[in-house]
Amino acid sequence: MTDLKTAASAVRENAYAPYSNFKVGAALRAASGRIFSGCNVENVAYPEGTCAEAGAIAAMVAAGETELTEVYVIAESPAPVPPCGGCRQKLAEFGKGEVKVTLATTSGAEQVTTIAALLPGAFGSAHMAGV
């Protein structure tokens, strides 16, 4: 996990957050063991921004990988910040329910959970059967 923490902390520094000043970094480990990271990228048209988790997933997919096995998210906040609803669904798309997700603060607090705990009753490919 130290590698994920280091990667998420480093990429957080690159976040583009001129409007909220809330920088987030995320790193994930793919099934191959490779680590991919992403940071939030804001846009003056708020809905057009990109979350850190989405950026890390996009980097993983761009590299030809489609399964994540561990996630680490870090932000400067009084308590660990969970992924937004959309990112929870994105994590569930590429990771199994038991995948470990560590939520952290820059001051060192950590909370460990799983994708399934973050998104109970997730919509998945099984719901598309017969379509």
Side-chain angles (χ1 to χ4, degrees), residues 4-109:
L4 288 178
K5 179 178 181 177
T6 301
S9 296
V11 76
R12 181 187 162 277
E13 295 301 319
N14 296 334
Y16 179 76
Y19 308 105
S20 71
N21 293 313
F22 190 74
K23 294 183 172 191
V24 181
L28 59 85
R29 186 179 321 280
S32 68
R34 289 179 63 194
I35 293 174
F36 298 93
S37 59
C39 59
N40 57 317
V41 179
E42 292 180 350
N43 187 290
V44 70
Y46 268 98
E48 300 305 317
T50 304
C51 296
E53 299 89 340
I57 290 168
M60 177 185 75
V61 172
E65 305 218 32
T66 57
E67 183 181 356
L68 58 89
T69 60
E70 189 176 0
V71 180
Y72 194 97
V73 181
I74 188 167
E76 184 177 353
S77 179
V81 178
C84 72
C87 285
R88 292 174 194 218
Q89 185 66 47
K90 289 174 180 76
L91 291 171
E93 179 73 19
F94 295 99
K96 294 179 176 69
E98 66 272 10
V99 165
K100 176 180 164 183
V101 179
T102 303
L103 310 172
T105 69
T106 55
S107 62

